[in-house]
Amino acid sequence: MADDTYRTCSSCKKPIAFLAPYYACSVSTCNRKRTALYFCSVPCWDAHLPEARHREAWAEERRAPSRAEAEREVSVAAPAPTPTAAAETPREVLVVVSKLKAYVRAASGMNTSDACVDVLSQHLRRLCDAAARVAAREGRKTVMDRDFGVVLADWND
Ligand SMILES: [Zn+2]
Ligand SMILES: [Zn+2]
């Protein structure tokens, strides 16, 4: 595909350049995101009519977006962000060290070695990852307290 091609004509396959006028079909089924039709001319739009069998249709003149606009459209239409690859996920400390140490001291009178913080952070990450999977399974985008309940029940079995 040439660099300045926004789309190719659905009939004649001629390129439709960025910012060039083109024709779209007035019927919504010809404009579904994945299967949208683009025509370089009205005769090319005419050509899809026998197959489409629209009851009522007309060609709508439109203007192709600029390359920058098209790229923005793509990023807006992109699906929800996929989880960052494991290598990119931050490996920071997830617990408040001073509070953790204070708790252990209060509960048991013991000191806490600094390395514990990493182990616990790693544990929290595993817990969060598992809870996020539970939430995703239920079609949610928010991890909820009950997801941790499900995970912990699993882990305790
Ligand atoms: Zn055409
Ligand atoms: Zn159509």
Side-chain angles (χ1 to χ4, degrees):
M1 225 188 245
D3 242 354
D4 62 347
T5 302
Y6 169 57
R7 288 284 163 20
T8 52
C9 174
S10 303
S11 290
C12 72
K13 309 297 174 202
K14 245 174 56 184
I16 297 168
F18 289 112
L19 298 173
Y22 71 92
Y23 296 87
C25 183
S26 64
V27 178
S28 63
T29 50
C30 290
N31 289 290
R32 284 199 188 111
K33 206 164 249 164
R34 282 168 192 284
T35 54
L37 300 178
Y38 298 81
F39 303 102
C40 69
S41 63
V42 175
C44 279
W45 172 82
D46 278 335
H48 93 291
L49 290 177
E51 217 184 310
R53 296 163 179 271
H54 300 318
R55 261 186 300 153
E56 202 191 352
W58 58 91
E60 288 176 348
E61 186 169 357
R62 298 203 184 149
R63 194 184 60 98
S66 68
R67 183 198 307 280
E69 284 165 345
E71 278 163 8
R72 216 171 312 137
E73 257 174 51
V74 169
S75 59
V76 167
T82 43
T84 9
E88 295 168 36
T89 359
R91 285 280 173 268
E92 290 144 349
V93 166
L94 298 184
V95 295
V96 181
V97 180
S98 58
K99 302 221 165 163
L100 178 77
K101 290 188 173 188
Y103 167 76
V104 173
R105 172 156 300 132
S108 65
M110 292 194 191
N111 296 321
T112 309
S113 94
D114 286 339
C116 295
V117 167
D118 292 329
V119 175
L120 286 169
S121 296
Q122 184 54 29
H123 180 72
L124 279 175
R125 275 190 284 273
R126 283 184 57 209
L127 196 53
C128 291
D129 292 350
R133 282 193 294 271
V134 174
R137 214 155 54 207
E138 293 184 4
R140 268 183 283 117
K141 293 221 171 298
T142 305
V143 176
M144 300 180 79
D145 48 357
R146 66 168 185 267
D147 298 327
F148 289 97
V150 172
V151 172
L152 290 171
D154 272 1
W155 285 5
N156 289 334
D157 275 347

